[in-house]
Amino acid sequence: MSRTRTRWRLGLTATALLVASAVVPAPANAEDVTDYAITVDPAAKGAKIDDTMYGVFFEDINRAADGGLYAELVQNRSFEYSTADNRSYTPLTSWVTSGTAQALSDDGRLNARNRTYLALDGGSSVTNSGYNTGMSVESGKAYDFSVWARADAAAPLTVTLHDADGTLAEARRVTARGGWAKYRAKFTATRSSTTGRLTVAAEGPVALDMISLLPRDTYKGHGLREDLAQKIAALHPGFVRFPGGCLVNTGSMAGYDEASGYERKRSYQWKDTIGPVEQRATNSNFWGYNQSYGLGYYEYFQFSEDIGAMPLPVVPALVTGCGQNRATDDDALLERHIQDTLDLIEFANGPVTSEWGRKRAAMGHPKPFHLTHLEVGNEENLPNEFFARFTEFRTAIEAEYPEVTVISNSGPDDSGSTFDTAWQLNRDANVDMVDEHYYNSPQWFLQNNDRYDSYDRNGPKVFLGEYASLGNTFKNALSEAAFMTGLERNADVVKLASYAPLLANEDYVQWRPDLIWFNNHASWGSADYEVQKLFMSNVGDRVVTSTATGTPSVSGPISGAVGLSTWATTAAYDDVKVTGADGTALLGDDFSGDASQWTHTGTGSWSVQDGQYVQSDEAATNTMVQAGDPAWHDYDLHVKATKRSGKEGFLVAFGVKDTGNYYWWNLGGWNNTTSAVEQAVDGGKSTLISKAGSIETGRAYDIDIKVRGRQVTLLLDGQEWGSFTDEKPAEPFRQVVTRDAKTGDLIVKVVNAQAADARTAIDLGGAKVGRKAAVTTLQAAPDAVNTETSTAVAPVKSTFEGVADRFTYTFPANSVTFLRIRKG
């Protein structure tokens, strides 16, 4: 990068200048030297920002519900765990039995939806281990025990709460007699523990189901874990999107009933999740465990109301996503799901005299929940099939509930053929709002602050329903903060935005990064959480037009070695040639000898076989081998590749700097449905160009990659597949200014995502302001992370007393800073 310096004096026009990662600190007496300039035009009318701009997305991933936000301490309380959920599960997972105990699934069950129950003989017992290290209890706190039991004769039950050191509360006794009935007891913990166990011992034969232990203290008394709910509430989210995600549109679209054989691998269907808990269905969670539906639609609506957020449910569109990619062609089933969606709106908004409004009132909420937005589908990778079904949902909803905004989506990525097709369909149909999702590298977020600048102001609005920069370090949070300034600047297009995922239990992680982390006794916000909280708490009501100087950067050509890799696939490579632009041979390998030119930096098993370089471990992912000089640039790479077996195709890398920084052409990725060029920066990948396509097993492909400067051309079997130019700057200095209508405050929001202070001349354009600004700063090392025991990234509040129409402020290196400037 190049660096320049420009002087700026009060009374003169602010001009641009500099930066990069090696700023020379200004001398102490050089007050007229600055690095950046921000110019505000308070007379210009910027975009209005809705109160619902920022929200949260809750999906039951990483044990976010059971073992998380849902306060139930007993795991597998209804003995419904099954191999359908996870190959290692049985009906007694998380239980230890003594004596004679059997998990039964017969006509003696509690009800049709509770398929399995436990039979104990006299002198037998069953002990539950809870989640994480066990059940977490606090001294002096109350816990409510309940169990459904059936016994032909009186069967006393002794219930104990204990850990390895002894009892945690006085034992309780209940006596079961007759048909299925619910029995209750209350514990008061005599000491604290994070390794608690609950034991139920029987003195006579008895059947048990729905064994529960809930803390008496839950968030607003509504059954949710208090610390997690409070952390979400502290964000002041404008909406809650629920319940997914991949939960919504994966698996069967059938019901949980006799007709489907009580199908476990189903899409999330709201009617399964309301009413008495013991009568709710169970389901196989897409993320590899069981979900009990103790946290269901009623609780989601209630929680949204409790935290003052707009509820935003997502319903299945009968096209599966998340790698399944199947469209259900069943008119009767489609009509049933459309009617279920209409019933959902009635459940949320209908009067108590309506069928579903009456059911809501029976659950304890006679007043409506005021549903205004509803999303149909999630990340469908079959845009035409999805949109045909979406149109039927939309038509039916608008006919009965024209006041409800029906949200569509644009597939699972930020670009590519699925994205383009979906957006065209949405534009042509004049859809109100389209959901976009993307998980990319920090560099991508720094490069794409202007993403929505060019969107059609008269087209569908954008709901950014899921995004994150693939990490929980402060570097990730900084890049997201920089991107969020662009979201606010385009608040007339981007109406809703939510980071994803929301919660992660540290012992049950299927996806990273995550906003809030927890275990069975503690929770903590990530660096990303602190950024989201700062933005959500200081949104403002309208954008105030402003401009800022940028960071000049001179990028050299794409340079690096070359590489070969596979992903859950075995493949053979041959005839590798790298030739300089002037025709100089840089590398040639026909594998007639050994593979000594190649360095194995990934997983997998590579060997030379019959004159080919073969990766033979079908289960291995990212099996990179590389060769050549990291300084190479302007070259042609030729590879012959043959897929032997597995789920995907080939990965041919170029511009390889090290194991975390490279480009690769991913041919037959995403379960052999798509080919794309991805760029990895510090381990985080983003997609530069993608197209639908698959790779045939046993067929030899000629792959050619031409690198010229920052231009790359890709050829498959001699035909041009695509090209791109990687020249967008990863701008580290981003800003936006908004105004708070209630207070009149100007809120200047600045992200400085580099290892240099940014001394900045700020021109408020004649706005009448006071001399003081309330300052909130997040600053930390780029790799800093928050943990249970250490909060490296936390807001620091201060006061700046040098505000004027024109003033200078130094934004620290690696920081997010909000200046709330009072109206003068």
Side-chain angles (χ1 to χ4, degrees):
M1 286 187 172
S2 67
R3 168 169 301 286
T4 61
R5 288 268 183 193
T6 302
R7 294 183 177 273
W8 175 78
R9 298 181 184 277
L10 291 175
L12 299 179
T13 301
T15 53
L17 25 293
L18 143 134
V19 189
S21 57
V23 166
V24 177
N29 62 351
E31 289 84 6
D32 58 342
V33 176
T34 184
D35 302 311
Y36 289 93
I38 295 174
T39 303
V40 180
D41 183 359
K45 194 172 183 180
K48 181 181 181 296
I49 306 174
D50 295 342
D51 292 339
T52 52
M53 172 77 180
Y54 295 122
V56 295
F57 165 47
F58 183 93
E59 179 175 13
D60 188 0
I61 186 174
N62 310 315
R63 285 284 186 190
D66 296 328
L69 186 61
Y70 184 43
E72 176 63 64
L73 299 179
V74 177
Q75 183 175 178
N76 189 19
R77 67 181 176 188
S78 58
F79 308 101
E80 296 295 327
Y81 277 28
S82 162
T83 53
D85 310 320
N86 188 297
R87 283 183 293 179
S88 67
Y89 280 1
T90 75
L92 289 175
T93 294
S94 78
W95 294 97
V96 174
T97 61
S98 68
T100 303
Q102 286 183 287
L104 300 176
S105 179
D106 57 28
D107 291 342
R109 60 177 62 92
L110 175 60
N111 59 56
R113 289 190 158 197
N114 255 298
R115 306 295 295 168
T116 307
Y117 65 96
L118 185 71
L120 289 180
D121 282 347
S124 300
S125 67
V126 61
T127 298
N128 190 266
S129 57
Y131 298 93
N132 301 94
T133 57
M135 298 178 186
S136 179
V137 300
E138 294 183 54
S139 179
K141 294 291 183 70
Y143 298 84
D144 292 320
F145 166 82
S146 65
V147 62
W148 282 80
R150 172 176 56 78
D152 294 335
L157 302 173
T158 300
V159 188
T160 56
L161 186 59
H162 55 94
D163 63 11
D165 295 326
T167 60
L168 294 170
E170 182 180 346
R172 293 287 184 259
R173 284 172 63 85
V174 297
T175 299
R177 181 185 286 110
W180 284 105
K182 189 174 184 178
Y183 300 89
R184 297 178 174 86
K186 173 189 170 185
F187 288 101
T188 300
T190 55
R191 60 185 177 86
S192 298
S193 176
T194 61
T195 58
R197 301 289 189 270
L198 180 76
T199 295
V200 180
E203 295 183 16
V206 64
L208 305 176
D209 207 344
M210 295 296 293
I211 300 175
S212 172
L213 187 68
L214 281 163
R216 179 72 57 87
D217 294 336
T218 60
Y219 187 69
K220 298 196 175 184
H222 291 144
L224 303 185
R225 180 170 151 174
E226 197 156 20
D227 64 325
L228 292 178
Q230 285 175 343
K231 279 187 170 58
I232 298 169
L235 292 168
H236 305 294
F239 65 88
V240 178
R241 178 178 182 248
F242 63 88
C246 288
L247 303 184
V248 168
N249 67 334
T250 52
S252 169
M253 300 294 165
Y256 190 59
D257 50 33
E258 187 175 3
S260 72
Y262 294 94
E263 173 62 58
R264 292 289 289 267
K265 293 181 178 291
R266 308 184 319 285
S267 63
Y268 196 111
Q269 299 173 43
W270 78 273
K271 289 180 180 178
D272 287 343
T273 76
I274 64 167
V277 172
E278 68 276 6
Q279 295 177 16
R280 298 183 187 183
T282 187
N283 203 0
S284 171
N285 182 293
F286 175 81
W287 300 107
Y289 53 90
N290 175 268
Q291 53 189 143
S292 72
Y293 289 149
L295 177 57
Y297 256 74
Y298 178 83
E299 289 76 21
Y300 286 126
F301 278 123
Q302 182 73 75
F303 181 55
S304 299
E305 182 178 83
D306 284 345
I307 63 176
M310 176 182 79
L312 202 167
V314 187
V315 299
L318 275 70
V319 178
T320 57
C322 304
Q324 295 184 355
N325 302 332
R326 294 191 305 271
T328 299
D329 291 315
D330 184 328
D331 290 341
L333 189 58
L334 177 61
E335 285 303 314
R336 193 266 284 175
H337 275 268
I338 291 172
Q339 187 59 52
D340 282 354
T341 302
L342 297 174
D343 293 343
L344 170 61
I345 300 172
E346 183 176 285
F347 177 77
N349 294 350
V352 295
T353 54
S354 66
E355 177 186 358
W356 292 97
R358 184 164 53 251
K359 292 180 185 293
R360 181 195 68 239
M363 294 183 71
H365 202 283
K367 293 183 178 180
F369 283 118
H370 305 295
L371 174 65
T372 61
H373 291 65
L374 182 144
E375 184 172 356
V376 177
N378 171 76
E379 293 189 8
E380 283 75 20
N381 210 23
L382 300 173
N384 292 295
E385 292 84 344
F386 160 73
F387 203 77
R389 290 155 182 78
F390 169 84
T391 299
E392 296 199 42
F393 277 86
R394 180 192 184 198
T395 299
I397 294 168
E398 289 182 345
E400 290 200 33
Y401 301 101
E403 72 280 7
V404 173
T405 298
V406 185
I407 303 172
S408 181
N409 75 80
S410 57
D413 299 307
D414 62 271
S415 60
S417 58
T418 295
F419 178 88
D420 293 339
T421 301
W423 256 106
Q424 190 60 53
L425 291 166
N426 285 308
R427 279 192 294 268
D428 291 346
N430 197 28
V431 168
D432 288 330
M433 189 174 291
V434 178
D435 190 1
E436 293 190 354
H437 294 178
Y438 37 82
Y439 297 91
N440 290 321
S441 68
Q443 174 158 313
W444 185 94
F445 283 92
L446 293 176
Q447 289 175 321
N448 285 277
N449 174 274
D450 63 349
R451 176 178 176 88
Y452 297 106
D453 290 0
S454 59
Y455 271 50
D456 182 0
R457 279 25 220 175
N458 298 312
K461 303 306 179 185
V462 172
F463 172 23
L464 181 49
E466 298 183 33
Y467 72 97
S469 69
L470 298 176
N472 277 147
T473 69
F474 190 50
K475 173 177 64 181
N476 298 101
L478 283 170
S479 71
E480 291 153 6
F483 189 73
M484 291 170 78
T485 66
L487 299 183
E488 289 193 7
R489 186 176 65 253
N490 289 285
D492 57 328
V493 169
V494 183
K495 306 304 288 184
L496 306 168
S498 50
Y499 178 102
L502 179 61
L503 295 174
N505 186 319
E506 66 175 352
D507 292 334
Y508 308 92
V509 179
Q510 288 85 32
W511 178 270
R512 300 171 189 268
D514 303 287
L515 204 62
I516 299 169
W517 290 78
F518 65 94
N519 51 38
N520 66 350
H521 62 277
S523 58
W524 56 98
S526 64
D528 316 72
Y529 173 87
E530 295 298 341
V531 161
Q532 293 290 323
K533 185 177 180 181
L534 185 57
F535 273 84
M536 288 193 205
S537 301
N538 297 275
V539 181
D541 299 282
R542 187 174 289 280
V543 175
V544 179
T545 301
S546 62
T547 57
T549 55
T551 306
S553 171
V554 178
S555 296
I558 292 174
S559 61
V562 299
L564 310 171
S565 189
T566 59
W567 198 284
T569 302
T570 67
Y573 294 94
D574 201 357
D575 296 335
V576 179
K577 298 175 184 176
V578 181
T579 307
D582 61 357
T584 303
L586 302 176
L587 173 72
D589 205 332
D590 62 4
F591 303 106
S592 57
D594 58 26
S596 58
Q597 297 186 81
W598 299 85
T599 301
H600 187 186
T601 59
T603 63
S605 177
W606 289 87
S607 61
V608 174
Q609 300 178 19
D610 300 324
Q612 296 180 311
Y613 201 20
V614 178
Q615 198 293 113
S616 57
D617 184 347
E618 189 173 318
T621 58
N622 199 2
T623 63
M624 181 85 80
V625 291
Q626 63 186 69
D629 188 338
W632 281 351
H633 61 87
D634 295 293
Y635 56 77
D636 296 341
L637 167 62
H638 171 80
V639 179
K640 188 177 288 291
T642 306
K643 173 182 175 177
R644 291 192 166 187
S645 66
K647 296 179 179 179
E648 305 207 343
F650 325 114
L651 295 161
V652 179
F654 56 98
V656 179
K657 295 291 190 184
D658 51 46
T659 56
N661 296 274
Y662 53 85
Y663 301 79
W664 67 20
W665 189 4
N666 185 348
L667 287 145
W670 296 270
N671 289 320
N672 207 14
T673 62
T674 304
S675 295
V677 176
E678 297 177 281
Q679 181 184 15
V681 179
D682 294 336
K685 290 194 289 290
S686 54
T687 301
L688 302 181
I689 180 175
S690 69
K691 293 182 180 181
S694 60
I695 293 298
E696 298 175 26
T697 301
R699 174 184 165 188
Y701 290 84
D702 284 307
I703 298 166
D704 289 278
I705 302 172
K706 297 181 180 295
V707 181
R708 296 292 185 273
R710 302 200 68 79
Q711 169 79 30
V712 178
T713 303
L714 306 113
L715 296 94
L716 187 63
D717 287 337
Q719 300 297 312
E720 182 171 328
W721 176 88
S723 64
F724 68 93
T725 303
D726 181 22
E727 59 184 6
K728 290 193 75 172
E731 173 61 64
F733 186 84
R734 297 292 189 184
Q735 60 80 38
V736 70
V737 181
T738 64
R739 187 185 299 279
D740 186 321
K742 184 176 180 180
T743 65
D745 292 354
L746 279 180
I747 312 172
V748 180
K749 313 173 189 186
V750 176
V751 180
N752 182 28
Q754 61 186 328
D757 292 349
R759 192 161 179 268
T760 305
I762 300 175
D763 183 347
L764 297 179
K768 296 185 182 300
V769 294
R771 285 190 52 78
K772 292 184 179 181
V775 183
T776 306
T777 305
L778 292 172
Q779 183 187 22
D783 293 331
V785 295
N786 288 348
T787 67
E788 178 184 354
T789 58
S790 174
T791 307
V793 181
V796 175
K797 295 184 180 297
S798 60
T799 301
F800 176 69
E801 299 189 3
V803 177
D805 182 40
R806 292 178 176 177
F807 65 99
T808 298
Y809 190 92
T810 299
F811 296 98
N814 299 310
S815 69
V816 183
T817 305
F818 280 27
L819 303 174
R820 288 193 74 108
I821 302 172
R822 292 285 183 179
K823 185 176 181 180

